[in-house]
């Protein structure tokens, strides 16, 4: 009895703790700020798109959105390609060098991102990569390679060698083995890695904060920080920006909950 | 790269896959070309991540304002932080309190919810999806939403508290030297509990059902079943959850940076935010670099201690 009551009670409480803020945010984007503050939970007295209109007509957020899309897509695609190629190589090499290289990659997992910010700032500054979107892409790739290689190598090591042998007797190159045998088999793990790379890169604040100061190059999380200052007490505007920034991930999450949960749990070490 | 083949030739191999014997010839032919496939990733990672991490370490032994040449000062940064640095000491205390709170509550909540939602019923799956939801949001978004909740005058929490007559509990959640750190810790727990719950569910579902059936036959209560089956069997998962949660708590940069920037009076500053602030707010890059050495050491130490404790219990 006690068990049942406490179970229902705590589950409901935590569900409300998530649902209520989400509702307040979503409804708040269709209200004026005063109404949001006085009646946060009520439906808008008059549904209005004014907040969205103001933000989008301001133009800033569309630029930020575009930057985020470019940086995220480029980072995810390139990381996937480089990591899968490397993981395949590591998994198909049977010597100490492969193990050593694997260890070198894994080393990056134990280093928290914040430990290298000064070195990264310094290096990217001297290479002229600050205030460039490709600089951001490069650091995204470099910092997410360890976790991606870690997961993909584990997968490629499970592919039985026999699957490659018939092909390599026919004279297939390593590249062909990768392209036409390993890659097609690895679709589920690649999907999982792709998802957490999407979320990590889309939501990242640290590296943009470190490398980008020019406002037309800012990504969404960095822009949200600016909105915090600009609309200091105007939470309905802030919520609208939050909504625009979160929408792509929310839509993807609702469409593929299972893969999202699996992928993000696999990548939890990083985020 | 010259000795790439030697391992294979000697057959010293690796711990990797099982069917190693089957094709020594295939291996030898391809090893060099497989190594080429690793190269692009290795180069990018080494140049843009490993190298800056090492150069970060080098700056820990310098005094540097980020503009002029760094001046080598040996261990001075470290001796200063160890002996005569009140802010560092305060921040270290904050970090311990913050991580401790997050680790205890996040692990406890995620385990409890995992037990409650273990069975794959429709309600369980729906609730899991809901609890996991915050994980996909950016920490800046989460921080902004919680700034609204914690806002002292018109914020949701205080409005709610005043509404039910608990005016005395309506505090300045983001402006207090005593409670703000805890308020942010709560947000962090809210943010990541669902993710750790999923890790726990995966672990708990591995526990053989027979153990529970046997316990039930012996007339074990729910609590006894938890104590003698669930908890010991879930220890390896707990180790994973603890490791994730510890690292996450040390990395809570975004939340703190957005919500308070480390204030008021450094009371919410933890190591990562102090590193950023020292370098990019006060232009003490050498000092900041030395702090990041502490950060790595602490994380490694904590992870090691946790492993030890869980292993001895196991």
């Amino acid at each position: 009895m006690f068990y049942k009551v406490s179970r229902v009670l705590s589950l409901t409480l935590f569900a409300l703790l998530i649902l209520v803020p989400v509702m307040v945010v979503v409804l708040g984007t269709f209200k004026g700020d005063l109404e949001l503050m006085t009646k946060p939970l009520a439906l808008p007295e008059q549904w209005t798109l004014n907040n969205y209109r103001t933000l989008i007509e301001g133009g800033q957020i569309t630029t930020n959105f575009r930057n985020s899309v470019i940086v995220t897509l480029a980072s995810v695609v390139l990381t996937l390609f480089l990591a899968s190629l490397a993981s395949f190589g590591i998994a198909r090499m049977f010597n100490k060098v492969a193990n050593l290289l694997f260890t070198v990659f894994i080393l990056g997992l134990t280093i928290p991102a914040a430990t290298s910010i000064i070195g990264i700032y310094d290096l990217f500054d001297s290479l002229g990569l600050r205030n460039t979107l490709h600089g951001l892409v490069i650091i995204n790739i470099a910092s997410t390679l360890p976790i991606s290689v870690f997961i993909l190598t584990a997968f490629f090591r499970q592919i039985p060698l026999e699957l490659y042998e018939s092909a390599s007797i026919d004279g297939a190159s390593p590249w062909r083995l990768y392209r036409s045998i390993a890659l097609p088999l690895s679709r589920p793990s690649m999907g999982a890695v792709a998802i957490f790379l999407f979320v990590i890169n889309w939501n990242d604040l640290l590296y943009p904060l470190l490398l980008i100061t020019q406002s037309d190059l800012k990504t969404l999380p960095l822009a949200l920080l600016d909105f915090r200052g600009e609309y200091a007490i105007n939470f309905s505007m802030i919520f609208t920006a939050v909504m625009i920034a979160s929408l792509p991930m929310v839509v993807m999450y609702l469409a593929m909950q299972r893969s999202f949960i699996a992928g993000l749990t696999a990548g939890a070490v990083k985020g | 790269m010259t000795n790439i083949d030697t391992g294979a030739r000697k057959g010293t191999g690796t711990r990797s896959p099982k069917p190693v014997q089957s094709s020594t010839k295939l291996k030898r032919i391809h090893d060099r070309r497989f190594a080429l496939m690793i190269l692009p990733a290795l180069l990018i990672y080494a140049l843009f991540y490993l190298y800056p991490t090492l150069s970060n370490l080098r700056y820990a032994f310098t005094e540097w304002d980020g503009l002029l040449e760094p001046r080598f000062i040996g261990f001075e940064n470290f001796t200063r932080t160890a002996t005569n640095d009140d802010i560092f000491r305060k921040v270290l205390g904050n970090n311990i309190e913050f991580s401790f709170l997050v680790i205890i509550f996040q692990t406890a909540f995620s385990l409890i919810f995992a037990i409650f939602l273990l069975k794959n019923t429709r309600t369980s799956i729906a609730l899991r999806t809901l609890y996991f939801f915050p994980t996909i949001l950016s920490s800046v978004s989460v921080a902004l939403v919680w700034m609204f909740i914690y806002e002292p005058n018109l914020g949701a929490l205080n409005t709610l508290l005043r509404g039910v007559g608990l005016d005395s509990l309506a505090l300045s959640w983001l402006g207090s030297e005593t409670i703000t750190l805890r308020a942010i810790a709560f947000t962090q727990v809210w943010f990541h509990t669902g993710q750790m719950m999923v890790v726990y569910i995966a672990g708990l579902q591995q526990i053989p059902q027979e153990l529970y059936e046997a316990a039930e036959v012996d007339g074990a209560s729910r609590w006894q079943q938890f104590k003698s089956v669930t908890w010991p069997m879930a220890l390896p998962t707990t180790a994973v959850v603890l490791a994730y949660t510890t690292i996450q708590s040390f990395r809570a940069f975004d939340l703190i940076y957005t919500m308070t920037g480390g204030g008021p009076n450094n009371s919410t500053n933890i190591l990562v935010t102090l590193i950023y602030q020292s370098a990019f707010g006060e232009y003490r890059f050498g000092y900041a670099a030395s702090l990041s050495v502490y950060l790595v050491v602490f994380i490694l130490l904590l992870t090691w201690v946790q492993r030890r404790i869980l292993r001895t219990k196991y």
Side-chain angles (χ1 to χ4, degrees):
Chain A
M1 191 58 199
F2 172 73
Y3 175 83
K4 273 189 186 152
V5 171
S6 51
R7 177 175 183 268
V8 172
L9 218 60
S10 56
L11 288 179
T12 316
L13 204 66
F14 196 54
L16 286 177
L17 204 56
I18 295 172
L19 272 176
V20 171
V22 169
M23 266 178 56
V24 170
V25 170
V26 174
L27 292 175
T29 65
F30 300 104
K31 292 177 188 170
D33 193 53
L34 187 68
E35 200 188 331
L36 168 66
M37 283 301 200
T38 47
K39 294 173 206 148
L41 272 172
L43 289 177
E45 279 159 20
Q46 204 163 11
W47 293 78
T48 162
L49 287 171
N50 277 344
N51 296 323
Y52 289 92
R53 201 169 297 136
T54 314
L55 262 186
I56 292 170
E57 275 170 7
Q60 189 58 46
I61 202 154
T62 42
T63 311
N64 304 134
F65 197 91
R66 198 206 52 184
N67 293 339
S68 273
V69 170
I70 294 172
V71 170
T72 304
L73 279 181
S75 306
V76 172
V77 170
L78 290 170
T79 309
L80 272 182
F81 173 67
L82 292 167
S84 63
L85 201 60
S87 308
F88 173 74
I90 290 171
R92 285 298 128 232
M93 273 172 72
F94 303 94
N95 56 37
K96 283 181 181 163
V97 177
N99 268 359
L100 177 72
L101 292 181
F102 185 64
T103 316
V104 169
F105 274 112
I106 298 320
L107 211 63
L109 276 181
T110 56
I111 312 168
T115 16
S116 29
I117 52 175
I118 292 150
I120 290 171
Y121 175 84
D122 183 36
L123 176 73
F124 280 64
D125 186 49
S126 56
L127 293 176
L129 288 170
R130 276 182 59 216
N131 279 319
T132 65
L133 291 184
H134 56 269
L136 217 45
V137 172
I138 291 174
I139 188 59
N140 282 344
I141 296 173
S143 62
T144 51
L145 271 174
I147 176 72
S148 314
V149 167
F150 178 68
I151 291 173
L152 290 176
T153 305
F155 174 79
F156 283 128
R157 280 183 171 163
Q158 289 170 5
I159 299 180
L161 218 68
E162 287 74 19
L163 281 180
Y164 299 111
E165 279 185 355
S166 55
S168 57
I169 288 165
D170 297 339
S173 64
W175 172 255
R176 280 280 318 271
L177 297 181
Y178 163 79
R179 266 292 289 124
S180 33
I181 296 175
L183 262 198
L185 284 171
S186 69
R187 219 169 277 158
S189 343
M190 293 280 274
V193 175
I195 283 171
F196 77 71
L197 288 177
F198 256 108
V199 177
I200 289 173
N201 288 321
W202 183 266
N203 289 336
D204 184 43
L205 172 70
L206 188 63
Y207 293 131
L209 187 65
L210 202 59
L211 300 178
I212 308 286
T213 48
Q214 218 169 295
S215 63
D216 61 328
L217 292 174
K218 287 185 175 176
T219 54
L220 283 166
L222 199 50
L224 284 179
L225 270 187
D226 290 350
F227 284 126
R228 180 200 51 176
E230 197 175 323
Y231 301 104
I233 28 168
N234 192 340
F235 272 105
S236 65
M237 281 305 262
I238 291 180
F239 286 174
T240 311
V242 164
M243 182 86 161
I244 292 175
S246 315
L247 210 57
M249 290 301 127
V250 175
V251 170
M252 280 168 69
Y253 180 61
L254 293 179
M256 345 182 249
Q257 295 154 18
R258 253 159 215 264
S259 339
F260 247 72
I261 292 177
L264 277 175
T265 308
V269 202
K270 181 72 197 164
Chain B
M1 285 294 182
T2 46
N3 57 351
I4 267 172
D5 293 337
T6 52
R9 216 168 274 146
K10 283 186 213 140
T12 42
T14 63
R15 282 164 293 150
S16 37
K18 308 267 140 65
V20 179
Q21 271 83 11
S22 57
S23 59
T24 336
K25 199 175 157 208
L26 169 69
K27 272 178 275 158
R28 209 176 302 156
I29 296 170
H30 285 312
D31 269 0
R32 211 176 285 268
R33 291 157 79 191
F34 282 123
L36 273 180
M37 300 178 120
I38 310 175
L39 211 56
L42 188 67
L43 281 180
I44 291 184
Y45 163 68
L47 179 61
F48 293 103
Y49 201 71
L50 271 190
Y51 168 73
T53 306
L54 292 175
S55 80
N56 207 96
L57 183 65
R58 189 167 46 99
Y59 288 128
F61 300 94
T62 66
E63 188 177 282
W64 185 37
D65 62 0
L67 290 169
L68 304 170
E69 276 298 295
R71 190 169 64 87
F72 181 77
I73 54 168
F75 282 90
E76 210 176 290
N77 286 324
F78 294 99
T79 49
R80 198 186 316 148
T81 41
T83 56
N84 178 28
D85 188 339
D86 291 341
I87 291 182
F88 176 70
R89 217 162 288 170
K90 184 171 185 178
V91 166
L92 205 57
N94 293 342
N95 208 142
I96 291 170
E97 182 184 343
F98 181 79
S99 295
F100 183 77
L101 286 173
V102 170
I103 290 168
I104 296 289
F105 285 105
Q106 189 165 303
T107 311
F109 287 157
S110 56
L111 176 58
I112 292 170
F113 290 140
I115 292 173
F116 286 164
L117 299 178
L118 194 57
K119 290 202 187 102
N120 290 326
T121 63
R122 197 173 285 188
T123 334
S124 292
I125 293 174
L127 281 176
R128 281 183 221 161
T129 311
L130 178 67
Y131 289 3
F132 192 85
F133 174 75
T135 310
I136 65 157
L137 300 173
S138 84
S139 16
V140 183
S141 300
V142 169
L144 291 172
V145 172
W146 280 86
M147 284 172 82
F148 169 78
I149 295 175
Y150 286 147
E151 208 277 328
N153 300 314
L154 292 163
L157 180 56
N158 282 356
T159 309
L160 182 78
L161 287 170
R162 290 195 194 100
V164 293
L166 291 167
D167 293 54
S168 59
L169 284 178
L171 303 166
S172 166
W173 299 104
L174 290 177
S176 147
E177 289 198 33
T178 45
I179 51 168
T180 303
L181 188 70
R182 292 172 210 167
I184 301 177
F186 186 84
T187 304
Q188 170 84 0
V189 172
W190 179 88
F191 195 5
H192 290 294
T193 292
Q195 190 180 20
M196 290 307 118
M197 174 197 73
V198 170
V199 177
Y200 258 128
I201 289 177
L204 295 183
Q205 286 181 339
Q206 304 292 318
I207 301 175
Q209 203 51 45
E210 298 84 66
L211 291 180
Y212 290 104
E213 282 158 18
E216 225 155 274
V217 171
D218 293 344
S221 68
R222 260 181 215 284
W223 171 245
Q224 284 166 330
Q225 285 184 32
F226 172 79
K227 232 174 51 178
S228 46
V229 181
T230 311
W231 178 250
M233 293 298 285
L235 270 184
T237 315
T238 302
V240 174
V241 169
L242 280 179
Y244 283 179
T245 306
T246 307
I247 293 175
Q248 275 175 351
S249 75
F250 272 85
R251 280 179 177 162
F253 175 83
D254 305 12
L255 276 190
I256 294 178
Y257 185 79
T258 311
M259 289 170 88
T260 63
N265 192 16
N266 285 314
S267 63
T268 58
N269 235 343
I270 63 170
L271 273 173
V272 275
T273 46
L274 183 65
I275 292 173
Y276 186 85
Q277 181 191 313
S278 308
F280 300 98
E282 297 162 8
Y283 303 104
R284 297 159 74 197
F285 283 80
Y287 173 73
S290 75
L291 294 179
S292 56
V293 176
Y294 279 104
L295 181 64
V296 180
V297 172
F298 285 135
I299 290 185
L300 291 181
L301 209 68
L302 258 176
T303 324
W304 181 75
V305 170
Q306 286 171 353
R307 293 242 162 110
R308 286 295 302 237
I309 293 173
L310 286 171
R311 196 172 299 156
T312 44
K313 271 194 182 169
Y314 194 26

